[in-house]
Amino acid sequence: MSESETVNENMLFGMGNPLLDISAVVDKDFLDKFGLKPNDQILAEDKHKALFDEIVKRTKVEYHAGGSTQNSVKIAQWMIQEPHKVATFFGCIGSDRFGEILKTKAEEAHVDAHYYEQNEEPTGTCAACITGDNRSLVANLAAANCYKKEKHLDLDSNWELVEKAKVYYIAGFFLTVSPESILKVAKHASDKNKLFCLNLSAPFISQFFKEPLMKVMPYVDILFGNETEAATFAKELGFETDDIAEIAKKTQNLPKVNTKRQRVVVFTQGKDDTVATVGERVTMFPVVDIDQNDIVDTNGAGDAFVGGFLSALVQEQALEECIRAGHYAANVIIRRVGCTFPDKPDYH
């Protein structure tokens, strides 16, 4: 860590869907039965109810604390190590066993989690259906979908934690839950010249939640996404190009409220180079080489990249350094099941 920047508690703020990941290796028949693509993220519908019953009966099923934003802030905290509770997390859970697991896991990760707890819906889950190095995610938001701005974010004790932060990160997934909460945080960041980061998260966000997405976009300082999400976003906005560098440039140039900061756009492409806007240029950053045989599970790779990136960003490091930290974290996570990590990073 650089000497220049001291890191304090609650400096990084995340808000999103806290989910318990139920992860299992499945076969193509399983995917076909539930109409799943090998590599995708979707919201559960009625036809997926049986999937959750079936996946827990698989031989090797694992339970991990998940939820895209929560994964990212945990990884940022893991990369930073000390002090604890640099990362704050808000989201909604149920008053149940899965909720208790999420609380315990957040504590173990030294994340300052403040959950809004309600008992109308159970804690949300995400079925991670693994085939080879693909993962198909089916999220049953349940409680996560019950987050209420006025019942949680607006409370003085909670809003004070928002004000303490200087970097904010919210996955696009939360646009389906509480766009008004996202806007309140985004406007605060913009007004105070702090950093607001958003993730495109999944193709369905650009397709079906384009309106709330574009309401938040003028406040976005750093936008993350992968190659598929970038292509879908470009299509929805009528960019008329499938060149990823061109898409990054056009996205950078979308309207922005805080003109003191030029928007940065970062698109990951799996094992291919990460694409990022650096000032007026678009630059390619190669990822760390990895042997196919060492890839256990790509679930959480994108979240890990963002987590590593945020850990360097909170320390006010240059974009190149943020991307390098992101690549390191993703490389660690894909060698393990779920979005899990060893005790300490081995990162310099």
Side-chain angles (χ1 to χ4, degrees), residues 42-266:
I42 62 166
L43 292 177
E45 295 165 43
D46 284 345
K47 66 176 182 186
H48 299 115
K49 289 275 186 281
L51 181 153
F52 287 86
D53 301 331
E54 273 192 41
I55 199 165
V56 296
K57 299 193 184 100
R58 306 295 290 197
T59 42
K60 282 194 189 140
V61 63
E62 298 203 19
Y63 293 86
H64 297 285
S68 184
T69 305
Q70 187 167 240
N71 283 341
S72 293
V73 299
K74 269 186 192 164
I75 291 200
Q77 180 65 55
W78 171 71
M79 290 280 289
I80 292 164
Q81 290 282 311
E82 302 280 334
H84 291 165
K85 297 190 171 181
V86 170
T88 315
F89 179 76
F90 286 6
C92 182
I93 59 175
S95 312
D96 50 28
R97 189 172 66 89
F98 283 178
E100 290 305 314
I101 294 174
L102 288 185
K103 281 195 229 172
T104 306
K105 294 288 184 189
E107 233 166 276
E108 286 170 2
H110 308 300
V111 167
D112 194 12
H114 293 255
Y115 296 114
Y116 169 49
E117 271 184 68
Q118 48 75 60
N119 43 29
E120 264 147 57
E121 287 279 347
T123 296
T125 49
C126 178
C129 312
I130 313 292
T131 52
D133 58 7
N134 285 321
R135 48 91 185 115
S136 197
L137 308 177
V138 184
N140 180 25
L141 298 185
N145 204 25
C146 301
Y147 189 84
K148 299 279 183 288
K149 175 176 167 287
E150 56 288 351
K151 294 253 179 83
H152 194 262
L153 185 68
D154 292 346
L155 304 182
D156 289 346
S157 57
N158 290 330
W159 187 251
E160 277 167 18
L161 291 168
V162 176
E163 293 184 317
K164 274 180 84 174
K166 65 171 199 187
V167 175
Y168 301 85
Y169 173 67
I170 301 176
F173 288 125
F174 202 57
L175 286 162
T176 75
V177 174
S178 185
E180 56 286 351
S181 295
I182 302 179
L183 272 173
K184 184 176 182 181
V185 171
K187 285 178 175 166
H188 166 79
S190 185
D191 291 345
K192 301 281 191 249
N193 193 30
K194 298 197 275 193
L195 283 161
F196 181 80
C197 316
L198 186 78
N199 202 316
L200 291 175
S201 290
F204 81 83
I205 298 293
S206 295
Q207 288 167 316
F208 307 115
F209 296 88
K210 182 171 142 189
E211 197 186 336
L213 173 63
M214 295 319 289
K215 269 202 181 121
V216 176
M217 198 58 73
Y219 302 99
V220 176
D221 295 298
I222 302 178
L223 182 72
F224 297 103
N226 68 21
E227 73 278 40
T228 326
E229 294 148 13
T232 306
F233 180 72
K235 204 167 133 201
E236 288 299 322
L237 266 75
F239 283 173
E240 294 186 345
T241 177
D242 45 20
D243 178 289
I244 193 148
E246 194 64 23
I247 295 171
K249 196 77 203 131
K250 285 186 186 259
T251 305
Q252 180 185 38
N253 291 330
L254 290 169
K256 191 165 188 303
V257 173
N258 177 7
T259 50
K260 293 193 198 78
R261 296 180 185 274
Q262 186 178 30
R263 182 179 294 120
V264 173
V265 179
V266 184

